[in-house]
Amino acid sequence: MKSVRPDNTDPIPLRNTPHNMGTIMIRFVGLLVAAVVVLALLWSR
């Protein structure tokens, strides 16, 4: 069985996703704020 190798040995280019990372950070901060608000409301009762 022959091993299949690509013609060029360049690494596979990775997509630049700074905009995707920003979206993830915004969602994380939003969920964190929502959790803090819910816990504060539960604690204040």
Side-chain angles (χ1 to χ4, degrees), residues 5-45:
R5 292 175 185 256
D7 294 335
N8 59 354
T9 56
D10 295 340
I12 298 170
L14 298 175
R15 293 182 193 161
N16 292 335
T17 56
H19 138 269
N20 192 9
M21 188 65 184
T23 305
I24 291 172
M25 288 300 293
I26 289 171
R27 285 182 184 175
F28 174 74
V29 170
L31 286 171
L32 188 67
V33 168
V36 168
V37 168
V38 168
L39 287 173
L41 287 173
L42 288 174
W43 183 72
S44 66
R45 285 186 173 192

